[in-house]
Amino acid sequence: LLLAARGWGRLGAMSRYSTEQRGRHNSPDYRLYFKNADGKYISPFHDIPLFAGPKEDKEIPAKRSKTTGSEVLFNMIVEVPRWTNAKMEIATEEPLNPIKHDTKKGKLRYVANIFPHKGYIWNYGALPQTWEDPTHTDNLTGCCGDNDPIDVCEIGSKVRSSGEIVQVKVLGVLGLVDEGETDWKIIAISADDPEAQKIHGKYFYIDDVKKHKPGYLEATIDWFQLYKVPDGKPENHFAFNGEFKNKDFAVEIIKSTHEHWKALLHKKVDGGAIKCTNILVSGSPFCCSEEDARSIVQSAPAFMNGDPVSPEVDSWYFFPK
């Protein structure tokens, strides 16, 4: 059942974690649970540190952060590999928060192909130990948070795997307003990507992205503006007229959502249906035992070989007007 850790990336972030599949791919029962290097079941939402650090398995949050030169690195949980269409996400309302295939009205969700793109155009995921509080009105957007961890678009050259933990360098942020909710999109690149060292401007990494990956940021705007239109919804809008903000701005947004997460895990705010079950967050009233965590996973449907055929999404595209 256990999918062994593969040591993805030279920085070895994934070597500290492994995943265990329950249920089948392309089914509502599919879940991907996480274990740390000690073999303990953990929550990727709560137990994986935000800041990448050498002792992150033992200290939550890590007391020291890993850096590349003067750069602080963050852990990213990959939910959706680049070029795929299945809407995979951290199950925030389930104990231990496995990755699942999102559903709506009982049907599995897939994003449309937005011409000329195929599926998600980055490795898409989230930063652990962050939360966009739905009761907090963001001063910058005028809208409340979307009740999820903060999203990440990783623009490196490698196609990642769902459940992979990648140490990333933050480059900037886009302020999406999605159906009236604040939904920040962090732009980042894996620290071990060959192009990461080319993006080194002191403040304006986004300018370097435009230089080394021309058209990528413009495509990102188009994608987020249009991706819900094939479902009959209106186009999305952006804070700051769609301007990408720089690294320092992005880091401040991340820190703010980290503080909201801390309040959530220590019961200083009402998280509603959010499940805060964890095994490593010191002082959290939601801590559970290793035995309880194991029971949660074992109660999920068992892994089954032979995946059902997924819906065909490659053969059609949404053509913007």
Side-chain angles (χ1 to χ4, degrees):
L1 295 180
L2 185 65
L3 303 180
R6 307 174 191 176
W8 281 301
R10 287 174 293 173
L11 293 172
M14 193 61 202
S15 64
R16 298 187 179 98
Y17 304 99
S18 58
T19 54
E20 180 175 327
Q21 179 180 332
R22 309 288 292 190
R24 296 189 298 181
H25 282 288
N26 302 303
S27 80
D29 292 333
Y30 175 80
R31 298 293 184 275
L32 196 64
Y33 287 93
F34 287 72
K35 280 186 174 182
N36 65 8
D38 295 328
K40 298 176 182 178
Y41 289 108
I42 61 170
S43 161
F45 186 3
H46 307 306
D47 290 318
I48 295 176
L50 170 61
F51 298 97
K55 295 185 179 181
E56 62 185 37
D57 292 287
K58 306 295 184 182
E59 300 170 356
I60 306 292
K63 293 180 180 178
R64 292 186 293 163
S65 300
K66 183 172 285 187
T67 62
T68 299
S70 60
E71 197 67 44
V72 175
L73 303 182
F74 297 85
N75 284 319
M76 172 193 176
I77 303 159
V78 178
E79 296 166 303
V80 187
R82 181 189 283 115
W83 311 137
T84 63
N85 299 73
K87 193 176 188 304
M88 311 301 293
E89 62 178 22
I90 293 171
T92 59
E93 298 183 2
E94 295 182 15
L96 293 185
N97 315 113
I99 289 178
K100 69 171 185 177
H101 196 149
D102 190 29
T103 60
K104 186 172 184 180
K105 296 181 179 179
K107 294 184 179 181
L108 299 175
R109 295 184 66 187
Y110 296 85
V111 298
N113 295 315
I114 305 295
F115 185 84
H117 312 298
K118 167 66 177 70
Y120 287 78
I121 63 174
W122 343 257
N123 295 301
Y124 191 70
L127 293 182
Q129 298 190 337
T130 62
W131 181 53
E132 296 191 71
D133 186 348
T135 68
H136 172 75
T137 301
D138 191 300
N139 292 332
L140 298 168
T141 65
C143 298
C144 293
D146 72 344
N147 206 29
D148 284 324
I150 198 167
D151 296 318
V152 185
C153 303
E154 194 278 318
I155 66 171
S157 55
K158 185 176 180 179
V159 176
R160 301 287 176 170
S161 300
S162 186
E164 193 170 347
I165 310 300
V166 181
Q167 294 177 354
V168 298
K169 174 179 178 178
V170 167
L171 309 176
V173 64
L174 175 66
L176 177 67
V177 178
D178 189 346
E179 298 184 45
E181 296 177 332
T182 300
D183 192 4
W184 294 104
K185 305 296 180 182
I186 299 295
I187 308 300
I189 189 167
S190 173
D192 68 347
D193 191 88
E195 295 188 319
Q197 298 309 312
K198 297 178 183 179
I199 302 174
H200 54 68
K202 185 174 181 182
Y203 300 109
F204 299 105
Y205 287 1
I206 284 296
D207 290 345
D208 277 352
V209 174
K210 293 176 181 177
K211 176 181 177 181
H212 295 290
K213 291 181 174 287
Y216 209 162
L217 296 180
E218 292 80 0
T220 295
I221 290 284
D222 289 342
W223 197 96
F224 279 120
Q225 184 174 4
L226 296 170
Y227 82 104
K228 288 190 175 182
V229 172
D231 296 328
K233 295 182 178 180
E235 294 181 1
N236 282 322
H237 301 284
F238 304 93
F240 314 111
N241 294 316
E243 175 190 355
F244 287 86
K245 294 297 185 178
N246 66 22
K247 176 202 71 172
D248 290 344
F249 189 103
V251 170
E252 289 305 310
I253 295 295
I254 293 169
K255 288 179 179 178
S256 173
T257 59
H258 185 49
E259 292 302 314
H260 289 305
W261 171 83
K262 287 181 182 178
L264 174 69
L265 265 286
H266 290 88
K267 220 169 184 177
K268 295 181 179 178
V269 295
D270 182 6
I274 295 287
K275 288 292 187 293
C276 300
T277 310
N278 68 86
I279 68 165
L280 296 174
V281 182
S282 177
S284 170
F286 301 103
C287 262
C288 73
S289 67
E290 293 178 45
E291 292 75 18
D292 288 340
R294 188 179 302 110
S295 295
I296 290 169
V297 177
Q298 291 176 347
S299 67
F303 169 75
M304 299 176 64
N305 289 315
D307 293 340
V309 178
S310 61
E312 179 57 58
V313 292
D314 294 338
S315 61
W316 63 275
Y317 278 81
F318 170 71
F319 290 83
K321 294 181 179 179

